[in-house]
Amino acid sequence: MTVVEELTKVVGEHHIVTDPAKSLRYRKGYRSGRGDALAVVLPGTLMELWQVLKVLHDNNIIIIMQASNTSLTEGSIPAPGYDRDCVVVNGTRIKGVQLLNQGKEVLAFPGTTLYKLENTLKTVNREPHSVIGSSNLGASVIGGINNNSGGALIQRGPAYTELSLYAQIDQNDELHLVNHLGIDLGSTPEEIITNLENRNFDTEHVADSTERVGHNRDYEKRVRDIDADTPTRYNADPEELYEVSGSSGKLAAFAVRLDTFPKAKDYQMFYLGTNDPAVFERLRRHILSEFKNLPVSGEYMHKVAYDMAKKYGKDSLIVIDTIGTNALPYLFGMKSTTERILDHIPTFKPYFPDRVLQHLGQIFPNQLPKRMDEFAEKYDHYLQLKMAGDGVEEAREFLKSFFENEEGDYFEATPKEAERVATHRYVTAGVAIRYSEVFQDDKIEILPLDIALPRNEFDWFEHLPKEIEDKIEYKIYYGHFLDHVMHQDYILKKGVKAHDVKVEMLKLLDERNAIYPAEHNVGHLYHAAPALVEHYKRNDPTNSFNPGIGLTTMEKYWGKF
């Protein structure tokens, strides 16, 4: 029996994909990259996942664990150069959320999306640890834990837990299921999985873990330390690497246990504008060092990013505003299927659905609130400052006095304005890709960077030398301003190679003591730092899961790396 036949026996013929054209959506990165795979298999239960892993391990197959495939650095897709066959194991069918202890904690599975988690917790008036931009793309909870995804929440920091259930291949090349959930589920893999899936334990009286934590406990102290010469957060921070947390797919995560948090009674978004970046930095330093109540979030956008997202992200904003994010994975699937079909018809150029959506979006009227557009006419820099509870009045009083002496202004957004503001900020992440698709005949290349600046950096806004500036058509700046994590997407001029500009850019970032990537992880585009490589080796001593990640060796047992 072949490997494909064995896998088909486990998941059924409708949940395994071997046709390269049909599997491309799972083998192609969100922004870049693609690789080959013997098959893509989609188990529907944790037991099926365990059986799939056993088949792959017994046949010495490389395992690429994948959730929603929203990675921006090729981190959850196959890569060229493997020395063994590869299979992508996509966990999106394994859905569900289990609330523990009246919702104070939660169990999330491979297919649990951040959107689903947020909405489940709303029923018990609680919130998840992390909310990130790719919630709007259908990103998964476990994907976030795997990558220590940062997110927008200033009070809580990156996605992190020490409580998980995962499969690991040890140094003796033996497959194990490791239960570190802090819940007694039995001794054998089959017992553990069955009891977990069937909830054969008291979900309302799960004992607190005395040795492990379900979220980052020290983040508020870190973010308030505005004079430190190191970043607040970044993926490869050694303090954030623990088993599944930061594992980059080097373990097969079955479930993670996370803390949740009480939902505030009221929220208020303040929308700020200025033409002087130093104004925002003075505001940032005061808020983090003096405010009794930390903000919920502080999201930044530059004018070019605002204008580009207004034009090239309008259709995405309309879709999200109309039907929400829950249907986005299905829509992406439909789009991929359409592209696959049209790819065989010479009349249609690549990315035809995206180009159609771009043109359709322009038919609709402007979707952004009038007050936002008025600020866009007056200012170059915008900050979305979201406060909760007692912090609302604290911010209201401070901002009134602050802008009496500083250049700029602010307004208190209505709930509808706040919703549009946040979605507009999130769709910005796809603007550079959409632009390159619309102008594909020009073969324009894009360079996306996400960086973590030191906490004591005052001159945070980037100023490029002319020799680099002349190679760039558009600079799209946005990010998580209060913890100095910035996204910088560059649309390059025709004929300019992204790799060449990247080399120059990284030299400048090194001079600024910035760390990169900050939250999209190394994927197959960046070298993993020594601490991250050691974490990978501890988790996956045979190099069977996602080999080559962080530009490491792809050889089994790590070769001579």
Side-chain angles (χ1 to χ4, degrees):
M1 187 180 294
T2 67
V3 173
V4 171
E5 289 172 337
E6 288 186 71
L7 293 172
T8 303
K9 188 176 179 180
V10 174
V11 301
E13 62 181 12
H14 295 297
H15 301 298
I16 184 167
V17 186
T18 56
D19 183 336
K22 294 181 179 179
S23 68
L24 182 59
R25 58 178 288 206
Y26 302 99
R27 299 184 292 103
K28 181 181 177 182
Y30 182 74
R31 274 183 174 160
S32 63
R34 68 171 64 187
D36 296 326
L38 184 65
V40 175
V41 58
L42 295 93
T45 65
L46 293 179
M47 190 65 77
E48 285 186 2
L49 174 58
W50 175 246
Q51 292 168 346
V52 164
L53 294 177
K54 288 199 295 183
V55 170
L56 298 178
H57 172 250
D58 290 344
N59 288 275
N60 193 33
I61 302 292
I62 285 173
I63 302 167
I64 307 297
M65 297 300 301
Q66 185 183 86
S68 301
N69 194 16
T70 58
S71 170
L72 301 182
T73 56
E74 307 175 13
S76 56
I77 58 170
Y82 294 141
D83 58 351
R84 292 151 282 164
D85 283 332
C86 154
V87 166
V88 176
V89 181
N90 183 287
T92 52
R93 291 183 59 229
I94 311 175
K95 304 182 185 298
V97 175
Q98 292 186 10
L99 299 181
L100 307 179
N101 299 330
Q102 297 79 48
K104 295 178 182 178
E105 296 176 279
V106 65
L107 284 175
F109 301 99
T112 304
T113 63
L114 287 163
Y115 180 83
K116 173 66 175 177
L117 177 58
E118 291 171 32
N119 279 279
T120 299
L121 290 176
K122 285 179 182 178
T123 64
V124 291
N125 205 35
R126 297 190 65 89
E127 295 180 327
H129 166 268
S130 184
V131 175
I132 64 175
S134 50
S135 300
N136 286 332
L137 301 176
S140 72
V141 176
I142 283 182
I145 296 294
N146 261 263
N147 293 303
N148 287 136
S149 296
L153 300 185
I154 298 302
Q155 302 166 5
R156 300 171 195 168
Y160 178 80
T161 187
E162 297 171 2
L163 299 160
S164 60
L165 174 68
Y166 60 86
Q168 179 183 42
I169 299 174
D170 67 17
Q171 66 272 16
N172 298 316
D173 201 14
E174 295 180 355
L175 178 68
H176 301 278
L177 188 68
V178 180
N179 180 12
H180 283 166
L181 288 172
I183 305 171
D184 185 5
L185 296 169
S187 56
T188 69
E190 290 74 18
E191 287 177 335
I192 293 170
I193 292 170
T194 298
N195 288 329
L196 180 60
E197 290 193 311
N198 295 332
R199 304 193 189 198
N200 292 333
F201 61 98
D202 189 349
T203 59
E204 296 302 328
H205 297 90
V206 177
D208 292 337
S209 174
T210 57
E211 300 179 356
R212 302 168 187 268
V213 299
H215 80 280
N216 185 318
R217 300 292 173 89
D218 302 316
Y219 193 69
E220 180 171 341
K221 180 180 179 181
R222 284 181 62 85
V223 78
R224 285 187 179 276
D225 187 2
I226 58 174
D227 294 319
D229 60 2
T230 56
T232 310
R233 60 176 174 88
Y234 58 98
N235 294 109
D237 185 346
E239 296 183 9
E240 302 294 327
L241 304 176
Y242 191 95
E243 295 178 353
V244 171
S245 294
S247 67
S248 303
K250 301 298 284 182
L251 297 168
F254 281 57
V256 292
R257 178 179 167 187
L258 304 167
D259 293 331
T260 69
F261 301 84
K263 186 177 178 65
K265 292 182 179 179
D266 55 88
Y267 293 95
Q268 179 61 56
M269 177 182 286
F270 298 88
Y271 193 80
L272 288 61
T274 186
N275 287 309
D276 183 359
V279 170
F280 278 173
E281 183 58 29
R282 286 192 286 271
L283 178 137
R284 168 187 171 270
R285 296 179 69 85
H286 178 91
I287 287 175
L288 295 181
S289 61
E290 303 296 333
F291 267 31
K292 180 179 179 181
N293 303 280
L294 277 180
V296 175
S297 61
E299 296 295 285
Y300 167 79
M301 286 187 74
H302 181 255
K303 180 174 176 57
V304 175
Y306 181 97
D307 292 341
M308 293 289 282
K310 183 177 180 179
K311 183 174 183 179
Y312 296 101
K314 184 196 287 187
D315 59 291
S316 296
L317 187 149
I318 292 171
V319 170
I320 292 170
D321 191 54
T322 303
I323 66 175
T325 61
N326 201 35
L328 286 185
Y330 301 100
L331 295 178
F332 281 125
M334 292 172 58
K335 183 167 72 72
S336 297
T337 300
T338 303
E339 288 177 348
R340 174 175 57 82
I341 294 171
L342 296 180
D343 189 50
H344 298 287
I345 305 175
T347 307
F348 294 97
K349 295 180 181 180
Y351 308 113
F352 179 77
D354 283 286
R355 289 184 289 112
V356 169
L357 289 171
Q358 176 62 31
H359 289 297
L360 287 176
Q362 304 315 305
I363 297 174
F364 290 86
N366 176 30
Q367 300 294 302
L368 299 181
K370 180 180 179 181
R371 291 198 290 180
M372 283 179 67
D373 278 343
E374 289 174 347
F375 265 47
E377 292 294 324
K378 295 171 62 176
Y379 305 113
D380 288 344
H381 306 275
Y382 324 110
L383 183 64
Q384 305 163 21
L385 184 67
K386 185 176 181 180
M387 304 297 298
D390 294 339
V392 173
E393 189 59 34
E394 184 176 18
R396 183 176 287 133
E397 293 180 4
F398 169 71
L399 290 174
K400 182 178 180 180
S401 61
F402 181 80
F403 280 107
E404 288 178 354
N405 303 304
E406 295 281 3
E407 190 272 337
D409 201 357
Y410 75 99
F411 64 82
E412 296 189 25
T414 66
K416 186 61 177 179
E417 285 175 327
E419 187 178 316
R420 288 290 174 91
V421 165
T423 304
H424 183 67
R425 155 66 183 85
Y426 290 143
V427 301
T428 307
V431 164
I433 300 172
R434 172 60 63 81
Y435 185 92
S436 67
E437 292 170 346
V438 171
F439 297 98
Q440 60 185 278
D441 289 343
D442 294 334
K443 301 187 183 305
I444 294 169
E445 295 192 13
I446 61 176
L447 173 62
L449 297 175
D450 60 295
I451 66 172
L453 295 171
R455 283 166 277 179
N456 65 353
E457 175 64 74
F458 194 91
D459 190 17
W460 60 274
F461 188 72
E462 183 175 70
H463 301 282
L464 296 174
K466 187 175 186 302
E467 58 268 24
I468 296 181
E469 191 81 50
D470 289 344
K471 299 175 183 178
I472 300 171
E473 190 71 34
Y474 295 105
K475 298 176 296 185
I476 302 173
Y477 295 143
Y478 55 102
H480 314 297
F481 180 68
L482 295 184
D483 49 13
H484 265 184
V485 172
M486 308 303 296
H487 298 279
Q488 301 177 173
D489 296 344
Y490 307 93
I491 299 176
L492 306 179
K493 291 183 177 179
K494 186 176 179 179
V496 177
K497 297 298 181 184
H499 174 75
D500 297 336
V501 178
K502 181 179 178 180
V503 171
E504 297 178 83
M505 286 286 195
L506 297 188
K507 289 180 181 178
L508 295 177
L509 292 175
D510 289 340
E511 292 173 3
R512 298 177 69 190
N513 295 320
I515 291 181
Y516 50 84
E519 62 180 17
H520 288 156
N521 218 329
V522 291
H524 288 285
L525 299 182
Y526 297 90
H527 286 281
L532 193 55
V533 174
E534 288 305 309
H535 183 54
Y536 293 162
K537 288 183 175 181
R538 283 194 302 271
N539 281 338
D540 183 22
T542 66
N543 206 18
S544 297
F545 289 94
N546 210 5
I549 198 76
L551 301 180
T552 57
T553 181
M554 293 182 175
E555 295 179 33
K556 191 162 185 177
Y557 289 105
W558 297 89
K560 298 179 181 179
F561 189 84

